[in-house]
Amino acid sequence: MSNKPENSAPMINRLVIIGLGLIGSSLAVAAKEQGLAKTVIGISRRTSTLELALESGIIDRACQSLESVASELDKGDLVVIGVPTLTVPSVIADCHQHLKDKVTITDVASVKGSIVKAAADIYGKLPNQFVPGHPIAGSEKSGVEAADSQLFKDHRVILTPHGADHCEHLRLVSTLWSNVGAIVSTMSVEEHDAILAATSHLPHFLAYSLVDTLASVGDNREIFRYAAGGFRDFTRIAASDPVMWRDIALANRESILSILDQVMDNFKTLRGAIDQGDEDYLMDVFTRARDARNHFGKLLENKALQGPMTEKKINYRVSPGGDASGSVRVPGDKSMSHRSIMLGSLAIGMTEVTGFLEGEDSLATLQAFRDMGVIIEGPEQGRVVIHGVGLHGLKAPAKPLYMGNSGTSIRLLSGLLAGQAFDTELTGDISLSGRPMGRVADPLRSMGAVIGTSPNGTPPLKITGGQRLSSIEYLMPVASAQVKSCVLLAGLYADGTTSVTEPAPTRDHTERMLRGFGYTVNVDQSTANLTGGGALSATRIDVPADISSAAFFMVAAAITPDSDIILPHVGINPTRIGVINILRQMGAQLSLSNEREVGGEPVADIRIQYGELKGIEIPVDQVPLAIDEFPVLFIAAACAEGTTILTGAEELRVKESDRIQSMADGLVTLGIDAQATADGIVIVGGELGGGRVLSHHDHRIAMAFAIAGLRAKGEITVEGCNNVATSFPDFINSAAAIGLKIQVETHHD
Ligand code: S3P
């Protein structure tokens, strides 16, 4: 999408493009289409190219040399050098000779080190007016005939600016690229060249080399005749422009040699493994590579090179009204998905998981175990196969384990990592980095673990391995399933029997699933215990739909007249059904059918219809049972008649965001009387208006306000909804299926 305000004057006076190859001519046509320059001037030595470019309207004016137009150029004019990499220095020399220092210059070469060096040599020092650039776009086609105005759309352009002095030049180049649809990022020249050597240059040389090898084999016609999809996929880029790639090979020599050496070493080892029939090695390499490809698949499909600087921000624009009817199978339970990977990895044998939640949180757990050497196949449509390594089979990860946004990952993992022979470090995103970890570090330390946190008790967690853990009897000060699970998982590695007593019932998936893996866990009222030193044996796990995700659609139906929603196969573990109890008490019509037990967990289909809701005092004993569902329950409260009062829920203040404050602020913005208290909230039901609310990067806040749209009088914009992907990646489609009208807007920050 163009950032240029409609009807505004072109931002560039004259856009001069030297070299009308694929990139140059595509930039010319894109700039013309967007009205970004008063005049687009094309420079090429070939008259036929210029004629074609003029005829097809790609440029306004044609010139055969820079010299012929240089005297006209001044501040606000932009010269783009689009010639092959090895020719760029001679064009820079022309620029030096003919251009005023007010004229902005950029280039599009795939290598930056040699270009920057040439510019510095020619000018004496790198000139402020020069902003080196590289659009990561192209195709195996070349020339002005292939010009494509969409070529840069959603593709990354890397600029390697070299100082603060050339701000206005940088701004001009950066705005040009973003206006033709590109995602602009900046990095150092060295970083650029190393990254591109690995991700772009190497694949091209491999493709050229493979095709050339096969082409020189005796009867190569036969080989090519039978070459199928794999060959075609792998070698498409061997049809690229040889001049361009010769230039790149020579211009980025050092970085390319370094990555080629690594690949050649790996080739040698692979050859050895094939020669020796080393099945394990082959299986390891192929699985690791396939998993990495799948893991990065989303990024690769995005076509662009990703980086945190240019992460797109997602907002929801929720239109007022809409139906709430239909049947939706919400994704797999997050708590159980985490635990299935953890226990499956520590078990002996292969565990098959179905219904696994492919959300960012559970994928963070999955990735952590891969980083510790566990082979995990999938996920593919919710199916994961874990090649368990046993309680003592994990390997030291090469780098800190990144837990993203996920409190469950970091807290549960800290327990089982405290018992390992190796050191680990656990890190997370900005939200996780502010969450309290003392609650797990304290009991672990009293078991003998050595575990460091930041001075205020938050991540990163640094766990020193090789400690002998001893069992404890732990009375938990907070009702937290994460703490309980952490201590029990550490207990697997401790001498003796570890017991945990909770002040109120919390979700018991760890206890149930450990039993499913054949490990004895005794539960007596509020105390669970287990004895260390046993073993887990692999099993099959069918993860039911997550009641915490279902809750959004339960409230959707509860607040929308004439609604009727069915949510099949939802987990209704008694420690999770606070949302059902609370909604029923408020007057919602809710029924369960097809109740059954799947792999030790109760499951049912839930049907919910509109009911006139009334405000209630939420019973304190329901708080731990509905701990994740409060954001959306507050929306129900806002639509209810009368006042809803929540107390005893201070835990909500330390979730992915301070959920009491986040919700109170958003509700007030929408015109509801909502008052945060130290341990809860008081909400007076009323008319919901439209407005702009913040999700505070909290998935459940974002989805809760999206549901509010069903009863709002105006449009609601929810800012910062990226983290919905942590627990409910397909939320938008599921919401649309029941009749919500949500538009997703993406912005580059
Ligand atoms: C979870 C426990 C709860 C819950 C979280 C998942 C778990 O956290 O809020 O979303 O899977 O054990 P606390 O243990 O901090 O209450």
Side-chain angles (χ1 to χ4, degrees):
M1 218 171 56
S2 165
N3 299 327
K4 194 172 89 55
E6 265 173 55
N7 304 326
S8 67
M11 44 176 272
I12 301 165
N13 192 15
R14 295 179 195 80
L15 176 63
V16 182
I17 299 183
I18 309 177
L20 292 173
L22 174 69
I23 299 287
S25 52
S26 297
L27 182 60
V29 70
K32 280 208 48 144
E33 258 185 39
Q34 296 292 323
L36 302 178
K38 281 195 198 137
T39 319
V40 177
I41 304 171
I43 299 184
S44 169
R45 289 222 190 92
R46 284 203 206 133
T47 341
S48 56
T49 301
L50 291 174
E51 277 167 7
L52 192 60
L54 272 176
E55 260 167 40
S56 43
I58 286 175
I59 54 173
D60 302 308
R61 239 176 94 184
C63 297
Q64 273 186 311
S65 71
L66 178 63
E67 199 182 345
S68 58
V69 69
S71 61
E72 298 172 32
L73 303 180
D74 213 325
K75 190 175 158 64
D77 294 326
L78 172 56
V79 173
V80 180
I81 305 175
V83 299
T85 305
L86 291 190
T87 321
V88 177
S90 70
V91 178
I92 295 179
D94 276 357
C95 293
H96 179 230
Q97 209 184 340
H98 302 295
L99 290 181
K100 300 189 185 88
D101 65 5
K102 299 251 173 355
V103 180
T104 305
I105 308 170
T106 187
D107 73 315
V108 298
S110 314
V111 178
K112 298 275 63 89
S114 57
I115 304 287
V116 163
K117 183 174 177 314
D121 288 349
I122 292 164
Y123 277 81
K125 84 176 216 326
L126 211 48
N128 286 338
Q129 69 194 126
F130 180 45
V131 183
H134 173 206
I136 306 180
S139 80
E140 67 283 10
K141 301 189 192 121
S142 38
V144 74
E145 302 85 347
D148 172 8
S149 66
Q150 301 300 303
L151 188 67
F152 308 107
K153 199 167 173 308
D154 294 331
H155 280 243
R156 204 153 290 253
V157 170
I158 299 174
L159 303 179
T160 60
H162 50 88
D165 295 347
H166 63 175
C167 266
E168 67 196 75
H169 300 293
L170 175 59
R171 210 172 304 123
L172 195 65
V173 176
S174 168
T175 326
L176 166 72
W177 285 116
S178 38
N179 276 289
V180 296
I183 306 159
V184 181
S185 49
T186 57
M187 61 176 70
S188 73
V189 169
E190 296 70 30
E191 200 184 349
H192 170 276
D193 283 0
I195 290 178
L196 269 289
T199 55
S200 164
H201 308 170
L202 177 71
H204 279 83
F205 303 139
L206 293 180
Y208 279 130
S209 179
L210 173 64
V211 176
D212 187 47
T213 307
L214 297 192
S216 46
V217 169
D219 192 358
N220 55 37
R221 258 185 326 178
E222 278 307 289
I223 292 186
F224 284 96
R225 185 169 299 144
Y226 290 104
F231 178 82
R232 235 172 280 141
D233 283 355
F234 189 80
T235 57
R236 178 181 58 81
I237 49 180
S240 307
D241 180 6
V243 173
M244 171 172 158
W245 287 98
R246 175 205 62 193
D247 286 7
I248 289 172
L250 301 178
N252 199 17
R253 185 167 170 273
E254 297 308 322
S255 303
I256 291 168
L257 288 181
S258 144
I259 190 78
L260 258 183
D261 285 346
Q262 288 176 43
V263 172
M264 279 157 66
D265 283 351
N266 279 348
F267 266 153
K268 253 192 237 140
T269 323
L270 183 68
R271 189 190 183 286
I274 295 173
D275 187 32
Q276 304 291 311
D278 186 344
E279 291 174 28
D280 288 347
Y281 177 85
L282 297 177
M283 191 61 195
D284 265 19
V285 175
F286 297 164
T287 313
R288 253 199 332 264
R290 187 210 40 198
D291 292 342
R293 180 66 175 77
N294 288 342
H295 185 65
F296 294 114
K298 263 197 241 150
L299 306 189
L300 294 171
E301 275 158 28
N302 246 347
K303 295 193 198 106
L305 193 74
Q306 299 282 324
M309 293 173 54
T310 45
E311 183 135 285
K312 287 183 199 162
K313 178 176 170 191
I314 295 173
N315 293 345
Y316 290 168
R317 269 175 51 193
V318 191
S319 304
D323 304 331
S325 290
S327 168
V328 197
R329 166 112 189 207
V330 300
D333 188 275
K334 184 150 73 76
S335 294
M336 290 185 223
S337 295
H338 283 299
R339 287 158 171 85
S340 69
I341 298 292
M342 295 180 192
L343 301 189
S345 296
L346 298 179
I348 295 166
M350 269 204 320
T351 291
E352 184 191 19
V353 184
T354 47
F356 179 79
L357 166 67
E358 296 183 36
E360 286 174 5
D361 276 11
S362 35
L363 289 174
T365 293
L366 188 150
Q367 188 56 37
F369 281 89
R370 279 187 180 145
D371 291 348
M372 292 189 284
V374 181
I375 293 179
I376 304 174
E377 298 172 39
E380 233 176 87
Q381 291 172 335
R383 181 174 178 272
V384 175
V385 177
I386 308 157
H387 299 234
V389 295
L391 276 171
H392 299 282
L394 296 178
K395 294 191 187 122
K399 52 183 181 359
L401 299 171
Y402 180 66
M403 308 282 89
N405 191 250
S406 176
T408 307
S409 308
I410 199 167
R411 294 203 179 114
L412 270 59
L413 267 168
S414 66
L416 67 89
L417 292 176
Q420 303 302 320
F422 50 83
D423 299 349
T424 38
E425 182 174 347
L426 303 174
T427 61
D429 72 1
I430 185 169
S431 148
L432 189 59
S433 300
R435 296 182 66 186
M437 294 298 140
R439 56 180 60 197
V440 287
D442 292 345
L444 290 175
R445 284 182 190 130
S446 62
M447 294 176 84
V450 176
I451 176 165
T453 65
S454 80
N456 41 1
T458 54
L461 293 183
K462 291 191 175 143
I463 301 171
T464 308
Q467 312 299 322
R468 200 186 161 123
L469 300 187
S470 40
S471 55
I472 49 166
E473 288 178 9
Y474 190 56
L475 299 180
M476 286 200 301
V478 280
S480 163
Q482 292 177 352
V483 176
K484 172 174 65 175
S485 304
C486 164
V487 175
L488 288 175
L489 291 174
L492 295 172
Y493 293 90
D495 297 333
T497 300
T498 298
S499 77
V500 191
T501 302
E502 52 190 7
T506 67
R507 66 192 68 193
D508 60 357
H509 305 303
T510 304
E511 298 91 302
R512 286 175 189 252
M513 206 180 278
L514 274 168
R515 288 199 194 112
F517 277 90
Y519 209 98
T520 306
V521 183
N522 303 303
V523 179
D524 182 13
Q525 300 194 5
S526 57
T527 301
N529 76 45
L530 57 74
T531 304
L536 275 68
S537 43
T539 185
R540 287 176 64 120
I541 297 172
D542 178 12
V543 179
D546 196 330
I547 191 166
S548 299
S549 298
F552 296 102
F553 299 123
M554 291 188 206
V555 171
I559 62 172
T560 311
D562 302 323
S563 62
D564 190 355
I565 290 183
I566 293 176
L567 300 155
H569 203 70
V570 179
I572 50 158
N573 181 310
T575 59
R576 299 283 298 278
I577 53 170
V579 62
I580 295 180
N581 300 337
I582 293 168
L583 281 175
R584 276 194 172 139
Q585 202 180 329
M586 293 177 81
Q589 288 187 54
L590 205 149
S591 60
L592 304 184
S593 63
N594 201 8
E595 287 188 50
R596 60 217 176 268
E597 193 160 298
V598 177
E601 289 278 354
V603 169
D605 299 342
I606 300 177
R607 178 173 184 194
I608 177 153
Q609 289 159 292
Y610 175 71
E612 271 180 28
L613 301 184
K614 55 182 188 337
I616 59 166
E617 268 185 44
I618 297 174
V620 177
D621 65 358
Q622 294 300 310
V623 171
L625 311 185
I627 193 71
D628 290 336
E629 289 68 68
F630 282 111
V632 78
L633 281 169
F634 295 169
I635 300 298
C639 298
E641 181 159 348
T643 304
T644 296
I645 302 171
L646 172 69
T647 53
E650 53 279 276
E651 269 299 296
L652 291 180
R653 292 207 178 263
V654 288
K655 291 293 179 190
E656 285 84 328
S657 71
D658 174 345
R659 286 185 173 159
I660 293 176
Q661 204 56 52
S662 309
M663 285 304 297
D665 291 348
L667 285 171
V668 168
T669 302
L670 300 181
I672 296 292
D673 176 357
Q675 273 184 22
T677 61
D679 66 344
I681 196 166
V682 179
I683 299 170
V684 184
E687 199 173 273
L688 274 166
R692 227 180 155 81
V693 297
L694 303 179
S695 75
H696 296 274
H697 306 291
D698 184 330
H699 54 137
R700 302 204 194 279
I701 304 292
M703 290 185 274
F705 281 117
I707 297 298
L710 286 164
R711 278 283 293 270
K713 292 278 173 277
E715 184 178 275
I716 299 177
T717 299
V718 191
E719 274 192 39
C721 301
N722 301 49
N723 279 345
V724 167
T726 60
S727 66
F728 202 155
D730 205 27
F731 174 70
I732 288 296
N733 287 331
S734 298
I738 64 127
L740 262 126
K741 292 178 274 177
I742 307 177
Q743 248 183 297
V744 178
E745 282 183 351
T746 54
H747 297 270
H748 300 298
D749 270 351

